[in-house]
Amino acid sequence: MLFRSLSGRSGGQVRGRLSSLIQVEHGWEGAVAAALGPLADSIVVGDMRSAVSALTLLKNESAGQSELLVVDGSHETANFTMPAGVTPLYQLISSDGLDSALRYLLARYVAVRDLDAAQSVLSFDPALIAVTQDGDLVSRNRVRGGSSAANSAIEINALLEKTRNQLAAATAESEKLDRK
């Protein structure tokens, strides 16, 4: 509701839901979803005016709350030293125009295969946050994870994209067979 309402207003710089604006390297969707948390489902806006307008709309219409991600190009990122063989999580994400914001949000997050590797990362630098391929999040003061019964919006988008590609391939093969 909020996304449609804001999109229809003139002057609002609404880009869409973050989960639909990013592409994640196959197999790492759960890790990115865990790191982003509720921001994965946030609405991306291009300036603070659009964000304030969205909150005003929610308040005026008693329409609940929403996460908004302001992407105005003013994100400066501190550099962290990473242990050898570890990939910064933001490097597993591609997007159109959101790279600096994602780098800022995920600057301390690293992608690791498992919980043992996560512990090794924290031994190297306790300021880093390790996220496993399964979506377990391990930091100096916080650990979140376990089994997951539901897919995140990021994982669902990846499944939809895979299904679209499979459908396109099957359709092309069917048309090829029809011509024979």
Side-chain angles (χ1 to χ4, degrees):
M1 177 216 140
L2 179 63
F3 176 68
R4 278 187 245 117
S5 296
L6 289 175
S7 296
R9 292 181 178 218
S10 61
Q13 296 183 24
V14 179
R15 307 262 320 259
R17 290 214 176 267
L18 180 59
S19 60
S20 67
L21 297 173
I22 62 174
Q23 299 78 44
V24 178
E25 188 173 311
H26 178 70
W28 290 97
E29 297 87 358
V32 171
L36 289 172
L39 280 178
D41 292 325
S42 67
I43 297 171
V44 178
V45 296
D47 59 23
M48 188 56 69
R49 186 178 53 83
S50 297
V52 171
S53 175
L55 291 183
T56 302
L57 175 69
L58 288 171
K59 286 178 182 271
N60 289 344
E61 297 185 13
S62 298
Q65 294 187 345
S66 182
E67 289 277 343
L68 299 157
L69 177 59
V70 179
V71 178
D72 60 5
S74 66
H75 302 289
E76 293 184 25
T77 306
N79 290 321
F80 290 89
T81 303
M82 302 285 173
V86 173
T87 303
L89 189 63
Y90 68 83
Q91 289 183 359
L92 301 176
I93 306 169
S94 60
S95 67
D96 185 21
L98 301 177
D99 294 337
S100 67
L102 291 168
R103 183 179 175 128
Y104 174 78
L105 287 171
L106 301 173
R108 296 186 310 141
Y109 289 79
V110 296
V112 296
R113 295 275 177 208
D114 55 34
L115 290 169
D116 289 336
Q119 286 182 318
S120 294
V121 164
L122 291 178
S123 294
F124 177 83
D125 184 351
L128 294 175
I129 301 168
V131 187
T132 68
Q133 199 163 15
D134 291 334
D136 298 314
L137 187 138
V138 181
S139 72
R140 177 178 50 192
N141 299 319
R142 179 177 168 218
V143 177
R144 182 182 69 219
S147 64
S148 174
N151 288 328
S152 68
I154 292 172
E155 292 166 310
I156 291 168
N157 282 341
L159 290 170
L160 286 171
E161 185 63 27
K162 180 180 176 183
T163 303
R164 283 188 202 107
N165 291 339
Q166 289 173 336
L167 178 60
T171 300
E173 183 65 24
S174 174
E175 290 172 355
K176 183 176 159 183
L177 292 171
D178 283 345
R179 287 189 287 249
K180 289 185 177 182

